[in-house]
Amino acid sequence: MSNTYDKAHELSRVLKESDEFNQLAELHAKVNADAQAKQMLDGFRAIQMELQQKQMQGMELTEEEIQKAQSVFELVQQHEVIGKLMEAEQRMSQLIGDLNRIIAEPLEELYGLGEGE
Amino acid sequence: MSNTYDKAHELSRVLKESDEFNQLAELHAKVNADAQAKQMLDGFRAIQMELQQKQMQGMELTEEEIQKAQSVFELVQQHEVIGKLMEAEQRMSQLIGDLNRIIAEPLEELYGLGEGE
Ligand SMILES: [Ca+2]
Ligand SMILES: [Ca+2]
């Protein structure tokens, strides 16, 4: 009989063998092997993290900060490998979100039914 | 060959058959069948949600709000069935967190290795 932990490990292995993961790992390795691309991406991530932290602290972003982040984002997206990496990350994030929703379906049913509709 | 979605559905089914889920579902049904307990729990949830929303909006909670939430929490915990339900929810939340971490291990490895330690 399998338990939830065993099954989660199976899913983890299947995810690791998936096209989505392998494309992501390949692009990740490509960016890391290219010092200029790596620096560009790290710079973008740093800006992104700084702004997210401000927002999480309930601070408003200035017009200038939003525009700066936007233009750095457009710049990094134009880099062929980084652009593809970001698309692959987007797909992975979507996939992980889907998996989490599927797994939590029993809870969804339980709480959906009980809330008096 | 199984894919990630198939495997996630398998995990979802195993979760639904788990002791953790069945205990939770049973306690949930018990509370819903007891109008007084249901009302008590709904009241607590409403307070909890209100305070969480304030915090997410970056607002500070007052001393009074924190104390009120604390005393309502202590009250509902003393209710035998609600107390057990909350413990079961806590265990389920821990389990779901564990499963999500296990599933995301390939990503953890990928990003852990690439970040230049
Ligand atoms: Ca087992
Ligand atoms: Ca399949």
Side-chain angles (χ1 to χ4, degrees), chain A residues 23-24 27 83-93:
Chain A
Q23 283 163 11
L24 180 62
L27 289 162
K84 281 184 183 168
L85 175 62
M86 284 180 162
E87 284 167 22
E89 285 178 342
Q90 191 58 47
R91 283 194 300 273
M92 179 55 70
S93 151

Side-chain angles (χ1 to χ4, degrees), chain A residues 31 34-47 72 75-79 82 86:
Chain A
V31 169
D34 177 340
Q36 206 193 333
K38 177 87 170 76
Q39 194 184 359
M40 200 181 213
L41 184 60
D42 286 349
F44 171 65
R45 301 258 203 245
I47 293 170
V72 177
L75 191 75
V76 294
Q77 268 193 318
Q78 281 163 26
H79 187 288
I82 299 178
M86 284 180 162

Side-chain angles (χ1 to χ4, degrees), chain A residues 16-37:
Chain A
K16 195 169 178 176
E17 291 159 8
S18 69
D19 291 343
E20 289 90 341
F21 181 77
N22 283 307
Q23 283 163 11
L24 180 62
E26 209 173 293
L27 289 162
H28 195 259
K30 266 193 194 168
V31 169
N32 278 321
D34 177 340
Q36 206 193 333

